[in-house]
Amino acid sequence: GAVVSQHPSWVICKSGTSVKIECRSLDFQATTMFWYRQFPKKSLMLMATSNEGSKATYEQGVEKDKFLINHASLTLSTLTVTSAHPEDSSFYICSAGVGRRFYSNQPQHFGDGTRLSIL
Amino acid sequence: AQKITQTQPGMFVQEKEAVTLDCTYDTSDPSYGLFWYKQPSSGEMIFLIYQGSYDQQNATEGRYSLNFQKARKSANLVISASQLGDSAMYFCAMREGGNDMRFGAGTRLTVKP
């Protein structure tokens, strides 16, 4: 149980293109989902917290207009990288927890990530 | 301020030997959870083991055990009988109360045949 599906796995596109990444909880409802960015050989950096039915909460330094997050249902959150440039190339990974409220003992379940390459 | 510290960028271990990956943390919240994840080169994050701040005993999951020393704020991961497939990045993470999960810098483990 607790499967998170992330799509697509790989994206290669030209500079200036907008790219949408989907994150779905397949067998549970996720009121909250998290979007992380990971540079090669680095740790996961939290970009934003996606809340169903409300605006996402962005971490300091993350451009809201560049990284649009929509969490329209209890099983789907999307991250759109708008007008992507080579510096946006990275590994993006989403995660979700089971239930409406996170408790400290709940592990987050991760999607398999999306490798984004902007040419 | 960095809340999760992993001081070992890379570790090597001989196959079938045990290895300890270090993790220290900082929090003033009495309720928190500590987690270890494995990330192979393919990128997915695999949950390994969890330790709660109120747990009296160290967590164990198969070949994984967590050496939890609350007073020292450390939560080291011990992998026994290392296998070649254990070669990966390992991340220590913490969740305080109902907040999001934060990760350490990671340790790259290489198991030598």
Side-chain angles (χ1 to χ4, degrees):
Chain A
V3 176
V4 175
S5 173
Q6 189 172 339
H7 178 81
S9 302
W10 289 82
V11 180
I12 302 174
C13 58
K14 294 181 180 179
S15 184
T17 306
S18 291
V19 178
K20 180 185 282 189
I21 303 169
E22 292 187 348
C23 182
R24 294 180 184 272
S25 56
L26 297 186
D27 52 358
F28 67 98
Q29 293 184 335
T31 309
T32 305
M33 289 185 177
F34 303 95
W35 287 95
Y36 292 85
R37 182 175 183 176
Q38 186 179 30
F39 290 104
K41 299 183 181 180
K42 297 295 184 183
S43 186
L44 280 72
M45 299 301 297
L46 181 67
M47 297 174 65
T49 302
S50 168
N51 302 295
E52 186 265 336
S54 64
K55 291 183 179 180
T57 303
Y58 289 82
E59 293 297 302
Q60 190 173 11
V62 178
E63 298 177 61
K64 299 177 183 181
D65 296 331
K66 162 67 79 174
F67 300 101
L68 299 179
I69 291 172
N70 183 279
H71 194 159
S73 76
L74 286 171
T75 59
L76 173 65
S77 176
T78 60
L79 168 67
T80 301
V81 184
T82 61
S83 187
H85 292 286
E87 58 266 27
D88 299 323
S89 298
S90 192
F91 186 64
Y92 294 88
I93 190 165
C94 70
S95 75
V98 179
R100 286 191 163 272
R101 177 180 166 79
F102 279 138
Y103 295 95
S104 59
N105 64 345
Q106 286 183 316
Q108 286 175 209
H109 302 281
F110 286 82
D112 287 345
T114 298
R115 296 191 187 279
L116 176 62
S117 295
I118 308 298
L119 305 177
Chain B
Q2 181 64 270
K3 292 206 166 188
I4 300 286
T5 303
Q6 293 179 255
T7 57
Q8 307 155 313
M11 288 285 285
F12 290 87
V13 64
Q14 204 66 37
E15 192 178 8
K16 300 181 184 177
E17 298 291 316
V19 64
T20 298
L21 306 184
D22 295 342
C23 174
T24 58
Y25 60 93
D26 183 31
T27 180
S28 57
D29 194 326
S31 176
Y32 55 90
L34 297 159
F35 305 82
W36 278 91
Y37 283 84
K38 172 184 178 181
Q39 187 181 42
S41 57
S42 49
E44 71 269 29
M45 294 289 283
I46 302 169
F47 168 66
L48 296 178
I49 196 167
Y50 158 80
Q51 180 82 46
S53 58
Y54 297 115
D55 292 344
Q56 296 296 315
Q57 294 188 328
N58 288 342
T60 60
E61 287 287 347
R63 294 186 299 111
Y64 304 109
S65 60
L66 203 152
N67 184 0
F68 181 46
Q69 298 187 43
K70 192 170 182 177
R72 298 176 64 178
K73 294 188 176 178
S74 74
N76 298 340
L77 176 70
V78 180
I79 305 175
S80 62
S82 297
Q83 302 172 355
L84 295 178
D86 294 335
S87 294
M89 281 291 289
Y90 288 81
F91 291 99
C92 179
M94 177 174 68
R95 168 179 287 133
E96 299 166 281
N99 296 322
D100 54 85
M101 188 176 286
R102 302 285 171 152
F103 290 81
T107 296
R108 179 165 296 279
L109 177 66
T110 303
V111 181
K112 301 161 120 177

